[in-house]
Amino acid sequence: MAGGWGRVGLSIVFLESSLELVPRDLWRHPQVVRSSERYGIEPWEMVLDKSLHYNAMSGLSQKWKRGRPDILHTSLLVVSDTPLYNEGLLRVYFQSYDGRIFSVRPGVRVPKHYERFKGLMAQLLRVGRVPPSGSPLIEVCAQSLQEFVGRYGRLLLLDEGGEPSTPIEIAAKAISSGGIVGIGAFPRGPFKRSTLRKAASRHSILGGRPLKTWGVAGRIVWALERLAGLS
């Protein structure tokens, strides 16, 4: 690899993702019942999905940040379809709405089919790992962001209000510090204050303009590939 970086690697964690099981308060809602019957599973076995449960979600707190598992799905597909991931130089983690953080085993391929992905995530949220037995492909690695940062390293948070930085600068800082790049995986709104407090540093790219989660992740991965001589 060029540039003298050797076998560099990067870790990304998708934070506050809109991934959760259908809350108990919605189990009896007609929309939830209909989708439950459609898929032949119980309401508590389904992932909350705004495209199916829009009306049911009308009374949920923070509804603008919930019911969008497609954001995480697309982002995981983007980062896993890269030379960096194929070379084993990218570690991927994600946080569910309840605060738990999950580790994706290197080399694992996320299902491209959205419904298959949701089924896999529903099992993961219920059991804490997939598959339920044997060698896990994805499993819970921390019960909170505080535990995660304490165990895996400092958090370099990408935030619209952070210090203006280029993707190359962020990737280089992550490499030199052993830090983990944190990217929000929710549709809109700010990070929780508890998340901001865990950040060792905060950075914005492209002048702090709002960007899609997968677009941000793609730029950071590309930057590290440049440093590692993979692109």
Side-chain angles (χ1 to χ4, degrees):
M1 296 181 183
W5 288 91
R7 295 288 291 182
V8 298
L10 181 73
S11 293
I12 286 178
V13 55
F14 293 106
L15 294 168
E16 299 184 25
S17 69
S18 302
L19 177 68
E20 62 180 303
L21 296 173
V22 173
R24 179 184 293 272
D25 291 349
L26 305 187
W27 289 353
R28 295 181 182 274
H29 192 281
Q31 266 193 339
V32 173
V33 172
R34 282 197 299 271
S35 57
S36 172
E37 292 173 347
R38 173 185 172 187
Y39 291 107
I41 55 178
E42 298 294 342
W44 52 86
E45 295 177 320
M46 291 190 301
V47 166
L48 185 67
D49 188 339
K50 188 175 182 178
S51 64
L52 298 175
H53 309 131
Y54 180 81
N55 292 331
M57 292 175 57
S58 62
L60 284 182
S61 64
Q62 292 191 316
K63 63 181 180 180
W64 58 88
K65 291 184 73 172
R66 304 170 72 173
R68 291 292 308 277
D70 58 294
I71 294 175
L72 178 63
H73 182 225
T74 303
S75 301
L76 291 175
L77 289 177
V78 167
V79 300
S80 64
D81 189 24
T82 60
L84 192 71
Y85 189 79
N86 293 334
E87 288 286 332
L89 300 177
L90 179 64
R91 290 301 309 266
V92 179
Y93 306 88
F94 61 87
Q95 184 180 36
S96 54
Y97 184 76
D98 64 10
R100 290 180 294 169
I101 296 184
F102 298 86
S103 171
V104 180
R105 194 174 78 187
V108 165
R109 292 296 175 186
V110 175
K112 291 183 173 63
H113 192 278
Y114 183 48
E115 296 301 331
R116 276 197 63 208
F117 172 78
K118 288 198 296 181
L120 189 74
M121 292 299 100
Q123 183 184 76
L124 179 67
L125 292 172
R126 294 196 312 270
V127 181
R129 52 175 283 161
V130 289
S133 60
S135 179
L137 303 178
I138 307 175
E139 63 179 335
V140 64
C141 64
Q143 296 296 325
S144 66
L145 182 57
Q146 180 175 349
E147 179 186 346
F148 177 77
V149 171
R151 182 179 299 175
Y152 292 94
R154 64 204 306 266
L155 178 65
L156 282 59
L157 186 66
L158 299 191
D159 177 37
E160 293 172 17
E163 177 186 352
S165 308
T166 67
I168 290 287
E169 288 171 341
I170 295 166
K173 184 169 184 176
I175 294 168
S176 63
S177 68
I180 300 169
V181 178
I183 303 172
F186 48 89
R188 64 185 179 92
F191 282 106
K192 297 176 182 177
R193 291 181 182 178
S194 58
T195 299
L196 296 175
R197 286 196 294 267
K198 300 300 183 298
S201 59
R202 295 163 57 192
H203 306 268
S204 65
I205 62 175
L206 298 185
R209 285 176 287 173
L211 298 169
K212 302 295 186 184
T213 300
W214 51 88
V216 174
R219 284 172 168 82
I220 297 300
V221 170
W222 171 84
L224 184 62
E225 288 175 347
R226 287 290 302 273
L227 294 177
L230 291 173
S231 65

